Amino acid sequence: METIGKYKLELEDQKENVFVTQLREEDEEDIKVRKFPIVEETSGRLLDTGLNTFQSTLLLKKQVEVEKVHEDLEIKRRQFADRMAACQIKEEELKKKQLQIRERVGKFEKFIKENEAKRRRAIQKYQTELKLKEQKASEQDILSNELEILKAKKARLERKMAKYSVYEKFLLKVLDVVPEDYLETSDSMIMGIMMRFKTLSATNQTLVQMLTDRADEIESSQQKLSDMNQSHTQNLVLMNSELACLQEKLEDTMQKNVELEQHLVNRKAIIRQQSEILGRIKLAIDNLAEKCQKIVLVPVEDQDFDTKLRIIQDHINEYNDIIWLARPTEGSPSVDNTPVTGSPSILKKESRLPRLRPQESSLKSAVPRRSGPMELRFAADVKS
């Protein structure tokens, strides 16, 4: 079963189905074939034409429509060809007109160019001739001025010739007087005399210039000599003054040297005297230290002077303490007449002094000491 649009066709089973597209003669095979139309129209078209319309009729209608369309198309083609032919004719005519116009324009442009070239050549020729005219006029003015100058020069030279003709006559007379071998052989003897005069004049000027230069050199040399003499005199005066100053300085220096030598001699004498005094003082210190030293722990020669002086001072202080202790109290009789050295109590105290304990020695040192006459004399000797 086959469906076409809204309609259904029920067909029996057949051996072969054939779609008819054109009319042809029936063959033996066509007898066995059952033909049926093929519906290709739409539903609206089928309603208009009817369902029982044959396919051949539709095909003929279509062929008629196609032929009509072909005729219309052929008419349109002929019209188009006619129009194209007319357009081509018009185009050819237009091309011919354009060609003619171009030829006319070319001729006109050529004519204009020729006229422009002629005008330019005429203007250029006019300008050239005008410049040439101005140049010729300026050259004429220059030549006129030169002519006037030459005329004036000619007149001046003529006056000079008239003026110098006397010298020419004089030179001719000189030629008659000079020897024959004096001048070289030349075309003009007058020119030879003039050249000879120029040579002698140049030589004379050279000699005069040399003489002037030598005179200037001599004058400058004399000026230099006078300057040198003056400077030498000034230098001599300065050197003499410097020599006098140096002589005075030498005398002052020699005087100072003598004074310094005398001072040195005096100083040496003082130093020698002080050295002797110092030697005596050292010897006295050694002797006193040796006598004042109670316990000989170190030899006196190996001790320094501070230690020696300290030993002597300690001995003097002890001696003063002993004298102060040995002095009788107030109200005791016969104190003034008793000698200090003969008192047995003093000797006992002196013998006991080295055995004092450290506490007693510190208490004794706290007691105020009075300097005796021996200590004063020793201090005066050391200062001197």
Side-chain angles (χ1 to χ4, degrees):
M1 185 175 63
E2 184 177 359
T3 304
I4 300 172
K6 296 181 180 181
Y7 301 97
K8 296 181 180 179
L9 296 176
E10 294 181 359
L11 302 175
E12 296 179 356
D13 295 333
Q14 296 180 0
K15 296 180 179 179
E16 185 178 2
N17 294 328
V18 178
F19 292 94
V20 178
T21 58
Q22 62 181 358
L23 298 175
R24 64 183 182 86
E25 295 179 357
E26 294 182 356
D27 297 332
E28 292 179 356
E29 295 178 356
D30 296 336
I31 298 172
K32 298 179 181 180
V33 177
R34 184 179 178 182
K35 300 178 181 179
F36 56 90
I38 297 173
V39 180
E40 295 179 355
E41 300 291 337
T42 60
S43 59
R45 186 69 176 170
L46 288 173
L47 291 174
D48 293 336
T49 57
L51 296 174
N52 296 322
T53 304
F54 294 104
Q55 187 176 5
S56 59
T57 305
L58 295 174
L59 183 60
L60 290 173
K61 287 182 179 180
K62 291 294 182 182
Q63 286 180 355
V64 171
E65 291 177 358
V66 170
E67 289 177 358
K68 187 176 180 180
V69 170
H70 279 296
E71 289 177 358
D72 294 336
L73 182 60
E74 189 66 26
I75 292 168
K76 293 292 183 182
R77 284 178 179 174
R78 285 196 298 271
Q79 291 177 358
F80 181 74
D82 295 337
R83 289 180 181 178
M84 288 299 293
C87 289
Q88 190 172 3
I89 292 168
K90 289 181 179 180
E91 185 177 0
E92 290 177 357
E93 291 177 356
L94 183 61
K95 286 181 179 180
K96 289 179 181 180
K97 289 181 180 180
Q98 287 180 353
L99 184 60
Q100 292 176 359
I101 291 170
R102 287 177 183 174
E103 290 177 356
R104 290 178 182 177
V105 170
K107 290 179 181 180
F108 185 70
E109 288 180 353
K110 185 177 181 181
F111 176 73
I112 291 173
K113 288 181 180 179
E114 289 177 355
N115 290 336
E116 185 68 22
K118 289 178 181 179
R119 187 180 68 82
R120 288 179 181 176
R121 285 196 297 272
I123 293 171
Q124 188 175 3
K125 185 177 180 181
Y126 171 74
Q127 291 177 354
T128 305
E129 290 179 354
L130 184 61
K131 289 181 181 179
L132 185 61
K133 180 182 177 182
E134 292 176 355
Q135 185 177 0
K136 294 295 182 181
S138 61
E139 289 179 358
Q140 184 180 1
D141 295 335
I142 293 169
L143 292 174
S144 299
N145 294 329
E146 290 180 355
L147 181 61
E148 294 295 332
I149 293 169
L150 291 173
K151 286 180 179 180
K153 188 176 181 180
K154 181 182 177 182
R156 188 170 60 255
L157 291 174
E158 287 177 353
R159 288 194 298 271
K160 281 186 178 181
M161 286 178 63
K163 182 179 179 181
Y164 296 150
S165 61
V166 180
Y167 301 105
E168 185 178 3
K169 294 177 182 180
F170 174 75
L171 291 175
L172 291 174
K173 291 179 180 180
V174 170
L175 285 175
D176 296 335
V177 176
V178 296
E180 295 179 357
D181 298 334
Y182 183 74
L183 298 174
E184 295 179 358
T185 304
S186 60
D187 296 335
S188 178
M189 298 299 290
I190 295 174
M191 291 299 297
I193 292 173
M194 292 175 67
M195 293 299 295
R196 184 69 176 176
F197 175 75
K198 287 181 180 179
T199 304
L200 294 174
S201 178
T203 305
N204 185 20
Q205 290 179 0
T206 305
L207 293 174
V208 170
Q209 185 66 32
M210 290 175 63
L211 182 61
T212 306
D213 295 338
R214 294 296 181 273
D216 294 337
E217 290 178 359
I218 291 169
E219 186 177 358
S220 62
S221 299
Q222 289 178 355
Q223 184 67 30
K224 288 181 181 179
L225 180 61
S226 62
D227 294 338
M228 290 175 65
N229 290 329
Q230 186 176 0
S231 62
H232 179 69
T233 304
Q234 292 177 358
N235 292 329
L236 185 61
V237 172
L238 292 174
M239 291 175 68
N240 289 330
S241 62
E242 290 178 358
L243 184 61
C245 294
L246 293 174
Q247 188 69 28
E248 291 178 358
K249 288 182 180 180
L250 179 62
E251 292 177 358
D252 295 338
T253 305
M254 292 176 68
Q255 184 67 27
K256 289 180 181 179
N257 192 10
V258 171
E259 292 177 358
L260 290 174
E261 288 179 354
Q262 185 65 32
H263 181 70
L264 180 62
V265 170
N266 297 332
R267 186 67 178 171
K268 285 181 179 179
I270 293 169
I271 290 171
R272 190 181 300 110
Q273 185 178 2
Q274 289 179 356
S275 299
E276 291 177 358
I277 294 171
L278 182 62
R280 293 175 184 176
I281 291 171
K282 288 181 179 180
L283 184 60
I285 289 170
D286 291 337
N287 294 329
L288 290 173
E290 187 176 0
K291 290 180 180 181
C292 294
Q293 189 175 9
K294 296 176 180 180
I295 300 172
V296 180
L297 299 176
V298 180
V300 177
E301 291 81 5
D302 297 336
Q303 296 178 359
D304 54 355
F305 287 99
D306 293 335
T307 306
K308 294 175 183 179
L309 291 173
R310 194 179 300 110
I311 291 170
I312 295 169
Q313 186 177 5
D314 292 339
H315 181 74
I316 292 170
N317 291 331
E318 289 178 0
Y319 185 75
N320 290 330
D321 292 338
I322 291 169
I323 292 172
W324 183 76
L325 292 173
R327 185 179 298 172
T329 58
E330 295 179 358
S332 61
S334 66
V335 175
D336 296 332
N337 297 325
T338 304
V340 176
T341 56
S343 178
S345 61
I346 293 173
L347 294 175
K348 289 180 181 179
K349 288 182 180 180
E350 186 177 358
S351 62
R352 288 197 303 269
L353 281 174
R355 298 179 183 179
L356 289 174
R357 290 191 298 273
Q359 293 83 3
E360 295 176 357
S361 62
S362 61
L363 291 172
K364 189 180 292 184
S365 62
V367 177
R369 297 177 181 178
R370 297 178 182 178
S371 59
M374 185 176 181
E375 185 177 359
L376 294 175
R377 285 197 302 272
F378 179 74
D381 293 337
V382 171
K383 288 181 181 179
S384 62

